[in-house]
Amino acid sequence: GGPRRCRRLEGEAARAVLANADTLLFDCDGVLWRGEAAVSGAAAVLGKLAAAGKRLCYVTNNSGRTRAAYTEKLRRLGFPPAEPRHIFSSAFCAARYLRQALPPGAAAYVLGSAALAAELEAVGIPHLGPGPAALPGPAPADWLQAPLEPAVRAVLVGFDEHFSYAKLCQALRYLLRGPDCLLVGTNRDHRLPLEGGAGIPGTGCLVKAVETAAQREAFIVGKPNRFMFDCVAAEFPVDPARTIMVGDRLDTDILMGNSCGLTTLLTLSGVTALDEVRGCQDSGCAARHSLVPDYYVDSLADLLPALGE
Ligand code: PLP
Ligand code: CA
């Protein structure tokens, strides 16, 4: 009933909300850490939640690391032990999507990292593309002579530090073979914020380039698409009414949580300021209301008192 109102999660309400949850889904960058530095107090909060028997899962749009690398990073930064099956990265979920969408033996042309390629290998999907493109000549006319791999039935676009015009040409050549060549993007994050107001272009820029060339819309695996939550629900028995999505971004984390019927908690330790939430809440616009979280905290550390400290 009615537009969502976002309240600070503290005191008795914090105890009640956490007691009602049996699963928490954590966005990573901006919530648990910023780059290589853990958010102060976050590891202690997750330790308490794990000790209280909560299931902790990690839901990240970053396609640049394998599940194994995430478990290692969590360990390194002092978080409670996680198994690879608790990690739902857009790289893993993209591999899972293609496993179900592609016929056996079909291959993917990948604009992305070695980690994305590794997740495809882990589910048995042959792939080509990661790394700098090997060019058959200096000009686009030469590139059109490069052989196409007949088994390719999907173009997968993730975070690719070696993205190039040559790769865009090759992706388009595969997509122009027909609609049975799928176009899949890991996520649409437009920018990755760095400290001090700096930022670098996100995977959304690369997905848009391929979509523009092909004049087709990609299937997006990552948040806010519910596919990522469906991956969690396929692995564990999760009840949306007893699940909290914790994130720092409204148009990915909070929107996915709200659309899947989860309780949503925004941390102000990442990319979003409270003013943006107020702007959405006070707008008369239903689409912006769906970006409003149920609760916010300045940082995960604010939950320590509710967990008995
Ligand atoms: N994509 C890339 C390539 C990133 O480096 C990051 C954050 O570091 C993200 C996406 C956003 O990740 P998350 O969903 O964990 O905030
Ligand atoms: Ca984030």
Side-chain angles (χ1 to χ4, degrees):
R4 228 175 268 272
R5 305 297 302 179
C6 179
R7 292 184 296 141
R8 183 187 282 275
L9 189 58
E10 59 187 349
E12 201 41 55
R15 258 182 293 278
V17 166
L18 293 174
N20 178 59
D22 52 32
T23 301
L24 291 99
L25 310 182
F26 291 97
D27 168 56
C28 296
D29 202 68
V31 171
L32 305 179
W33 55 67
R34 296 173 66 113
E36 283 305 311
V39 167
S40 174
V45 165
L46 269 69
K48 295 260 179 202
L49 290 166
K54 312 291 186 191
R55 180 185 293 115
L56 311 182
C57 294
Y58 304 88
V59 178
T60 175
N61 272 359
N62 189 347
S63 63
R65 284 176 197 264
T66 59
R67 297 177 114 183
Y70 271 102
T71 60
E72 169 54 23
K73 182 166 184 177
L74 286 162
R75 193 200 58 74
R76 195 167 69 236
L77 296 183
F79 288 91
E83 293 166 38
R85 67 194 193 104
H86 295 113
I87 312 291
F88 296 87
S89 66
S90 62
F92 166 74
C93 294
R96 208 172 181 287
Y97 176 77
L98 288 178
R99 177 70 288 150
Q100 96 190 10
L102 286 178
Y109 180 67
V110 180
L111 298 141
S113 61
L116 184 53
E119 295 294 12
L120 291 172
E121 274 157 38
V123 300
I125 296 176
H127 57 81
L128 348 30
L135 302 181
D142 304 316
W143 308 342
L144 294 177
Q145 306 309 313
L148 292 179
E149 166 55 50
V152 167
R153 296 283 295 276
V155 169
L156 172 59
V157 187
F159 187 67
D160 187 356
E161 294 173 329
H162 300 287
F163 186 85
S164 65
Y165 188 73
K167 286 187 175 186
L168 187 55
C169 287
Q170 197 72 350
L172 178 60
R173 291 178 71 206
Y174 282 117
L175 291 165
L176 286 177
R177 293 203 299 190
D180 66 347
C181 182
L182 307 177
L183 175 55
V184 177
T186 55
N187 61 304
R188 286 198 192 276
D189 295 40
H190 50 88
R191 196 185 298 160
L192 305 175
L194 305 176
E195 300 300 320
I200 56 172
T203 303
C205 307
L206 313 184
V207 174
K208 268 286 198 319
V210 179
E211 287 180 314
T212 303
Q215 287 295 289
R216 275 168 62 175
E217 196 179 324
F219 174 81
I220 302 296
V221 169
K223 303 168 285 186
N225 191 323
R226 70 167 294 132
F227 182 75
M228 236 167 181
F229 176 71
D230 292 341
C231 288
V232 178
E235 181 77 26
F236 300 107
V238 288
D239 174 0
R242 296 181 62 87
T243 301
I244 305 177
M245 174 70 212
V246 188
D248 71 322
R249 194 163 184 140
L250 300 182
D251 64 0
T252 54
D253 308 320
I254 301 304
L255 180 55
M256 184 194 77
N258 286 346
S259 14
C260 295
L262 317 181
T263 299
T264 48
L265 171 61
L266 176 74
T267 63
L268 300 177
S269 51
V271 300
T272 305
L274 197 54
D275 280 352
E276 288 172 56
V277 179
R278 303 260 184 256
C280 292
Q281 199 165 267
D282 298 340
S283 79
C285 164
R288 293 185 72 198
H289 285 162
S290 62
L291 302 174
V292 177
D294 296 305
Y295 301 101
Y296 76 93
V297 286
D298 292 329
S299 148
L300 271 185
D302 295 3
L303 297 178
L304 266 181
L307 292 163
E309 289 228 338

